[in-house]
Amino acid sequence: MHEMAVTEDILRIVTEHAGQGGASEVTDIYLVIGELASFVDDSIQFYFDLLAPGTVAEGATLHFQRVQTRFRCRICGHEFEPAERDWLCPECHALGGEVIAGKEFYVESIEVR
Amino acid sequence: MSETNLSPSNRVPVVERLLTANEEVAADNRVQFHQRQIKVGNIMASPGAGKTTLLLATIAAMPGRKIGVIEGDVASQVDAEMIATTGTPVVQINTGGACHLDAPMIRNAAKALPLEELELILVENVGNLICPVSFDLGQDFNVGLLSVPEGHDKPYKYPGIFEAVDLVVVTKADLLPYLDFEIDTFRTLVHGLNPDVPIFVVSAKTGEGMEDWVAWLETRLGI
Ligand SMILES: Nc1nc2c(ncn2[C@@H]2O[C@H](COP(=O)(O)OP(=O)(O)OP(=O)(O)O)[C@@H](O)[C@H]2O)c(=O)[nH]1
Ligand SMILES: [Mg+2]
Ligand SMILES: [Zn+2]
C-alpha cells in the first residue's frame, strides 16, 4: 500500500529531469527494482495511470527492470543467486552470504521528446 | 543543442534513488532524538507476533528507565491503550491503510511525547515483515521479532528483515515444546544473512529470556 508515495516520487523525479532537458513529453520511464525492495509493479502502474494525467509524463510507458537477489559467499567470495530454499554456495557449500544485489530501487533513465 | 532534439526520442540518464524524501526526514529525526540523548528502537514483526506483549513486559522489567512508546497500526487504539495502563507515555499512529511507518509519521508522533523526560523510545511498527524495512524512521537500532508459531523457515521468505536488524528475538518461546520450530535451523538461516546478529529466545508469558533482552537494551542506552 505504499506504492502511491513511490509513484508520486517517480513523477517528481521524472518531471525534474524532463524540465532540465527542456522536454515537452516523457515517453518512457525505466525503473530498476530489486527483488528485496517491497514494491509491486502492478500497483505502481495503477497509481501512475491515476496520477500521471496532466503531467509531462502523461501516457508514458513504465519499464520495470527487476534485479534478482545475489549473495557473495563469506567463505570463498563466490557470487551467486540463491534459490528460494537453497542458500548454499555452489562452490564451497557455505550457507548464505552478503547481499550484494536485490535492494535496488531507482529511476534509471527516461526517454523524452 | 536544440538540433539534437529533432530525433523522435532521447534517452536521458537519471539514476536517482526513490524515497529519499523519507530518508531526509529520518536523518532529521535522528538529530532531534540525539540532541535530547534519546535512543530509539524500531520493532518489526508479523501481525500478532507478540510486539505489544513484549513491550509491556519490557516496561515492567525496566522500571528505572524513562521509556516512551510509539504504536503503529493500520487502525485502532487498543495497543496504545494497553501501554497507557502502565503509565508510560504513548502515542498511537494509525496509518490508515499504509503497511509501514515512515519518518514524517514519527516526526509528528514525537511532538506528542514528553521528550525532555525520555531516554528510550520503542516504536512498534505495523505488523508486516516486508515493507517497514524500506523506511528509515530515524531509529538507532532495529529489532526483528519472530514468534514460534510462524515457523523457522521465515528467513527464506523474508530475507530483507533478517538482514536489516541489529537483534532478533524469537517470541512465544513457551510454545516451543508444542510446535516443530527448529531453533538451530532458524539460527543458521539468520546467521547466513547476518552473521553477527544476536538471537534471543524469549517468552513474555513466562519471563524466559527476558533478562538477555533487557540487558541488550541497557547496553544500547549505555550504562
Ligand atoms: N504463549 C504466548 N503467547 C503470547 C506471548 N506473547 C504474546 N502472546 C499472545 O499473542 C497474541 C498477540 O500478541 P500481541 O502482543 O498483541 O502481538 P502484536 O505483535 O502486538 O500484534 P499486532 O499489534 O496486532 O500486530 C496475544 O494473544 C498474546 O497474548 C508469549 O510469550 N507466549
Ligand atoms: Mg501490537
Ligand atoms: Zn563459497
Side-chain angles (χ1 to χ4, degrees):
Chain A
M1 252 301 286
H2 54 253
E3 278 80 2
M4 176 155 168
V6 169
T7 310
E8 286 169 346
D9 216 22
I10 292 170
L11 281 168
R12 176 187 63 78
I13 291 170
V14 166
T15 306
E16 250 171 55
H17 283 262
Q20 282 162 17
S24 59
E25 191 189 344
V26 176
T27 56
D28 297 86
I29 301 172
Y30 295 85
L31 302 166
V32 178
I33 305 184
E35 217 176 23
L36 294 175
S38 48
F39 303 98
V40 184
D41 302 4
D42 284 351
S43 188
I44 294 178
Q45 185 71 57
F46 173 83
Y47 284 110
F48 186 81
D49 294 342
L50 225 83
L51 299 171
T55 75
V56 70
E58 176 166 0
T61 307
L62 292 178
H63 303 265
F64 297 92
Q65 186 197 331
R66 282 278 170 183
V67 181
Q68 285 248 344
T69 305
R70 280 181 80 76
F71 285 170
R72 182 188 291 120
C73 176
R74 289 197 184 82
I75 307 299
C76 75
H78 182 68
E79 296 179 4
F80 64 103
E81 284 175 10
E84 214 169 290
R85 282 180 172 272
D86 176 8
W87 285 358
L88 298 182
C89 168
E91 292 293 319
C92 76
H93 304 292
L95 185 139
E98 184 196 342
V99 177
I100 54 166
K103 295 192 207 169
E104 298 75 4
F105 186 43
Y106 59 93
V107 182
E108 195 261 333
S109 61
I110 54 178
E111 269 179 54
V112 298
R113 250 205 292 260
Chain B
M1 267 191 73
S2 54
E3 286 92 319
T4 58
N5 283 346
L6 292 172
S7 60
S9 86
N10 288 324
R11 189 85 166 237
V12 179
V14 177
V15 195
E16 199 171 314
R17 289 184 49 234
L18 289 156
L19 293 177
T20 50
N22 182 70
E23 283 164 26
E24 283 163 24
V25 178
D28 185 53
N29 287 350
R30 200 166 273 118
V31 169
Q32 300 296 326
F33 291 131
H34 284 180
Q35 276 174 357
R36 295 174 172 82
Q37 261 109 55
I38 299 172
K39 292 285 159 56
V40 179
N42 177 24
I43 299 177
M44 298 180 281
S46 305
K51 298 178 291 295
T52 307
T53 308
L54 183 67
L55 283 177
L56 290 166
T58 306
I59 290 163
M62 298 177 80
R65 291 299 190 179
K66 297 169 206 133
I67 303 175
V69 171
I70 296 176
E71 280 289 342
D73 281 290
V74 170
S76 103
Q77 301 276 331
V78 293
D79 283 359
E81 283 165 11
M82 286 288 284
I83 300 289
T85 60
T86 67
T88 302
V90 57
V91 186
Q92 178 79 53
I93 299 174
N94 283 143
T95 61
C99 44
H100 61 277
L101 295 177
D102 63 27
M105 293 179 198
I106 295 297
R107 180 174 57 190
N108 283 336
K111 289 179 192 150
L113 285 173
L115 294 181
E116 304 308 325
E117 297 169 17
L118 299 179
E119 52 191 334
L120 174 65
I121 296 176
L122 294 173
V123 179
E124 176 177 337
N125 216 310
V126 179
N128 182 332
L129 287 177
I130 305 174
C131 312
V133 182
S134 304
F135 294 83
D136 189 5
L137 307 178
Q139 71 274 22
D140 296 289
F141 57 89
N142 287 310
V143 181
L145 269 49
L146 185 89
S147 62
V148 165
E150 293 172 74
H152 55 258
D153 61 349
K154 284 299 167 289
Y156 277 134
K157 289 188 187 165
Y158 307 104
I161 183 168
F162 293 102
E163 200 235 353
V165 293
D166 301 294
L167 175 71
V168 174
V169 178
V170 176
T171 59
K172 310 191 189 181
D174 55 289
L175 299 178
L176 278 169
Y178 310 106
L179 296 161
D180 299 325
F181 188 95
E182 295 170 16
I183 188 78
D184 290 337
T185 308
F186 178 71
R187 283 182 192 281
T188 306
L189 292 177
V190 171
H191 285 150
L193 286 165
N194 194 345
D196 301 320
V197 73
I199 301 175
F200 297 149
V201 180
V202 172
S203 168
K205 192 175 174 182
T206 66
E208 175 191 346
M210 278 298 292
E211 66 284 357
D212 293 333
W213 155 244
V214 168
W216 190 86
L217 281 177
E218 289 288 351
T219 311
R220 299 292 113 181
L221 290 169
I223 315 307

